[in-house]
């Protein structure tokens, strides 16, 4: 296994000290060094600060922040975003599945970081924080978002390789990934090494790799959580995923993993490039410009809010234009 990380730029210092650190939630943002997540991290961090500065309610429960960069070397934004640089897995281990580096990076961070908060929120670059996030975990259970495509019962035969029958019914595995999750730091210290080892084992197993594809490390986290007896409170309102979720509602996070394609009458044309579109993958070689065009009339609130939030962030992040043109 690679050596422990070589670089840490610290963490965002707490602005609010009225609450005990025992209930504050520390945000850990896992990311690679490629261009797409880099600009997303800048936007995500902007909205993290806005939410925490809002104070009151959930804002008062939001603690520090660190981007965990699993690249082995720093990038241009380590002075803008509090960053911990972790070593990647040994060459060839991830087999081109870059997110396999997340669990190993998280293990390194937990070993090295001095986190005063007792809870950690694991987040991703394509998360926008709509409003302050309170500590949603309760009674020793983590808080997690239920993904419709994580189906332990459907894949019981595959999962039994990693969650044998003596561990209990397959329903002990919750339909979650590692993010968004709010968990006790102590729980994650136990879960993370298992998450890492199961992720690697799943990737090495052709049947499992084929069954789970790009969500393999999500299944690995769900299994690791179950193996350590850490249950999860499933919060559907944790986040929304445009264009399928139409309203913001009570959500705390917008997860913009899907492309949003519409005609000029506001009709969704998913699977076909729309006359108007917002898709993060359109900006995998160059960040989005400032002042993206807003969707046409009739497009759901969730998509309109997403674009407005990206526009506000890029308008206020220093040197965005020069970065976008680079």
């Amino acid at each position: 296994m690679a050596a422990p990380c070589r670089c840490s730029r610290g963490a965002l210092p707490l602005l609010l000290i009225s609450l005990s650190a025992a209930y504050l939630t520390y945000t850990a943002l896992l990311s690679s060094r490629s261009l797409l997540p880099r600009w997303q991290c800048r936007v995500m961090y902007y909205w993290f600060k806005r939410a925490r500065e809002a104070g009151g309610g959930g804002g008062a429960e939001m603690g520090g922040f660190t981007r965990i960069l699993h690249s082995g070397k720093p990038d241009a934004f380590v002075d803008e975003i509090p960053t911990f640089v972790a070593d990647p897995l040994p060459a060839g281990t991830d087999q081109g599945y870059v997110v396999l580096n997340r669990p190993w990076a998280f293990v390194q961070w937990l070993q090295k970081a001095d986190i005063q908060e007792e809870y950690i929120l694991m987040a991703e670059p394509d998360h926008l924080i709509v409003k302050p996030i309170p500590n949603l975990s309760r009674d020793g259970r983590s808080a997690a978002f239920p993904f419709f495509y994580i189906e332990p019962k459907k894949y019981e035969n595959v999962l039994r390789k990693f969650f044998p029958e003596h561990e209990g019914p397959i329903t002990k595995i919750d339909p979650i990934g590692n993010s968004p999750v709010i968990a006790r730091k102590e729980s994650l210290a136990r879960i993370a090494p298992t998450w890492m080892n199961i992720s690697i084992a799943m990737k090495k197993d052709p049947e499992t790799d084929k069954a789970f594809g790009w969500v393999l490390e999500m299944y690995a986290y769900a299994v690791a959580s179950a193996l350590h007896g850490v249950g999860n409170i499933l919060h559907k309102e944790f986040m929304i995923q445009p264009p399928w979720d139409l309203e913001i509602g009570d959500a705390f996070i917008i997860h913009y993993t899907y492309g949003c394609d519409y005609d000029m009458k506001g009709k969704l044309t998913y699977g076909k490039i729309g006359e108007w579109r917002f898709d993060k993958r359109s900006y995998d070689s160059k960040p989005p410009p400032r002042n993206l065009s807003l969707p046409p009339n009739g497009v759901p609130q969730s998509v309109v809010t997403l674009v407005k939030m990206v526009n506000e962030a890029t308008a206020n992040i220093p040197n965005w234009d020069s970065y976008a043109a680079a």
Side-chain angles (χ1 to χ4, degrees):
M1 190 60 68
C5 61
R6 301 185 298 271
C7 174
S8 175
R9 296 296 176 115
L12 185 67
L14 292 181
L15 300 176
L16 300 163
I17 58 174
S18 58
L19 281 181
S20 166
Y23 204 66
L24 290 174
T25 300
Y26 197 100
T27 298
L29 174 63
L30 290 149
S31 179
S32 70
R33 195 173 179 270
S34 61
L35 191 144
L36 176 59
R38 271 192 288 162
W39 70 255
Q40 290 178 310
C41 286
R42 300 183 81 194
V43 173
M44 193 277 184
Y45 183 52
Y46 172 86
W47 283 106
F48 166 84
K49 291 187 292 183
R50 281 288 306 275
R52 202 180 72 166
E53 288 164 2
E61 296 177 10
M62 296 174 72
F65 182 102
T66 294
R67 176 182 60 151
I68 303 173
L69 191 63
H70 50 77
S71 62
K73 56 184 178 179
D75 63 10
F77 302 108
V78 294
D79 293 321
E80 176 182 324
I81 308 170
T83 297
F84 179 95
V85 179
D87 284 328
L89 291 164
T93 303
D94 65 20
Q95 301 179 53
Y97 181 55
V98 177
V99 295
L100 201 66
N101 290 279
R102 287 178 182 171
W104 168 225
F106 194 74
V107 167
Q108 294 174 66
W109 177 68
L110 285 176
Q111 290 173 344
K112 296 291 183 178
D114 180 20
I115 304 302
Q116 299 302 310
E117 295 86 339
E118 289 301 317
Y119 292 84
I120 294 171
L121 163 64
M122 287 192 283
E124 296 189 6
D126 57 358
H127 286 176
L128 297 180
I129 301 177
V130 178
K131 63 181 181 182
I133 303 174
N135 188 339
L136 299 169
S137 63
R138 294 289 184 274
D139 303 322
R141 291 191 295 164
S142 301
F145 177 79
F147 290 90
F148 72 89
Y149 49 78
I150 301 297
E151 304 175 275
K153 191 168 182 61
K154 178 179 177 180
Y155 293 103
E156 178 169 2
N157 289 340
V158 173
L159 288 170
R160 285 302 185 189
K161 298 179 182 182
F162 313 95
F163 191 79
E165 290 191 7
H166 71 260
E167 295 289 349
I170 208 71
T171 52
K172 284 183 66 177
I173 302 175
D174 291 320
I176 64 170
N178 70 288
S179 176
V181 165
I182 297 175
R184 293 186 69 93
K185 180 171 58 179
E186 177 273 331
S187 296
L188 289 174
R190 292 184 289 117
I191 291 170
T194 306
W195 173 32
M196 177 187 71
N197 290 330
I198 291 177
S199 295
I200 294 171
M202 284 183 170
K203 188 63 181 174
K204 288 181 178 179
D205 182 74
E207 181 187 17
T208 308
D209 189 23
K210 181 179 179 181
F212 296 156
W214 66 275
V215 297
L216 181 147
E217 56 93 30
M218 296 174 68
Y219 272 101
Y221 180 86
V223 171
S225 182
L227 285 172
H228 287 282
V230 179
N232 297 276
I233 305 169
L234 304 181
H235 288 275
K236 289 185 178 181
E237 75 280 7
F238 212 147
M239 71 180 187
I240 61 165
Q241 302 186 94
W244 310 117
D245 296 308
L246 306 182
E247 304 291 333
I248 301 297
D250 294 325
F252 297 99
I253 293 170
I254 295 175
H255 181 212
Y256 57 104
T257 190
Y258 298 105
C260 300
D261 289 275
Y262 294 86
D263 64 23
M264 296 312 292
K265 295 181 180 179
K267 180 181 178 182
L268 181 66
T269 62
Y270 192 78
K272 176 184 176 182
I273 294 178
E275 296 174 272
W276 180 93
R277 77 179 328 225
F278 177 81
D279 188 335
K280 65 181 184 181
R281 296 161 192 84
S282 299
Y283 305 105
D284 61 356
S285 60
K286 186 165 72 171
R290 283 175 165 160
N291 197 28
L292 291 167
S293 64
L294 294 178
N297 290 335
V299 170
Q301 177 212 24
S302 61
V303 179
V304 176
T305 303
L306 162 60
V307 178
K308 285 183 175 180
M309 290 181 72
V310 171
N311 280 347
E312 179 179 331
T314 60
N316 287 281
I317 294 172
N319 303 315
W320 186 272
D321 282 334
S322 59
Y323 170 56

